[in-house]
Amino acid sequence: KSSLFQAFAAACAVDGSAFEAANGTWLQPALRIGVVECPGSFAYGEPLKQMLQVAAASFGLSVQCSIHCAEAMEFPEDCDAFIVSGSRQSANDPDEWVVTLQRNVKEAVLRGKTALGVCFGHQVVAAALGGKVVANTKGWELGVNGFDLSAEGCSFCRGHIPDFPAHPRLRYSHQDVVVDLNSEVSGLR
């Protein structure tokens, strides 16, 4: 978990600024992360907030997390990065909150914010940035699977975590899959 935090925190570094405290030590400003909870799954907000705070502390950093309800059209505006949670919805659903979420994700990324999508969240991020998300021909999939990272994915992850595996095993649950990314977007896989 701390390895994931280390890579995410490194990707979120806005300007590398640090402050010098009165005792001469350097302090990094708290990383501000917004968690967008989507309906139809478990409540990701508090567990993610706690995990991020513990992981940050292990690196001598701090995190300020805010939790936002996607169905209520809430989105983190004052953050360095944001995480979009899972949901049983489809990124292609015409529901107003899904459409609004995709618009907010696109606008935030264009403003230079770092995005991380979990399950449904990664499909929303891909769709918002011009990717193609389709119904999985296998139907719902649930389990743990190994994934091969692309050369760019390995380089990115190992640039932040030297011992990051080239074939990580991850939990997954989805009914949709991302089949194409916008040519300006790089996938880690």
Side-chain angles (χ1 to χ4, degrees), residues 74-89:
E74 297 173 1
F75 194 81
E77 296 298 330
D78 188 26
C79 66
D80 300 308
F82 60 94
I83 300 171
V84 180
S85 82
S87 174
R88 68 173 168 256
Q89 299 293 124

Side-chain angles (χ1 to χ4, degrees), residues 75-157:
F75 194 81
E77 296 298 330
D78 188 26
C79 66
D80 300 308
F82 60 94
I83 300 171
V84 180
S85 82
S87 174
R88 68 173 168 256
Q89 299 293 124
S90 169
N92 294 316
D93 285 348
D95 297 5
E96 184 180 5
W97 73 266
V98 175
V99 173
T100 300
L101 177 58
Q102 286 188 23
R103 184 184 67 244
N104 288 338
V105 165
K106 181 177 182 177
E107 290 170 359
V109 169
L110 289 174
R111 288 192 317 269
K113 304 299 180 189
T114 299
L116 174 66
V118 178
C119 297
F120 164 81
H122 100 275
Q123 297 159 2
V124 165
V125 172
L129 301 179
K132 185 175 180 181
V133 178
V134 299
N136 187 355
T137 57
K138 299 175 185 177
W140 273 96
E141 289 185 291
L142 172 68
V144 176
N145 198 5
F147 295 89
D148 294 329
L149 295 177
S150 65
E152 187 173 1
C154 272
S155 177
F156 171 81
C157 292

Side-chain angles (χ1 to χ4, degrees), residues 19 30 34 41 44 46-47 60 66 83 99 121-122 134 136 138 147 151 153 160 165-166 173-174 181:
F19 307 50
S41 187
Y44 280 78
E46 283 302 321
S66 55
I83 300 171
V99 173
H122 100 275
V134 299
N136 187 355
K138 299 175 185 177
F147 295 89
H160 302 296
S173 171
H174 58 258
L181 292 174

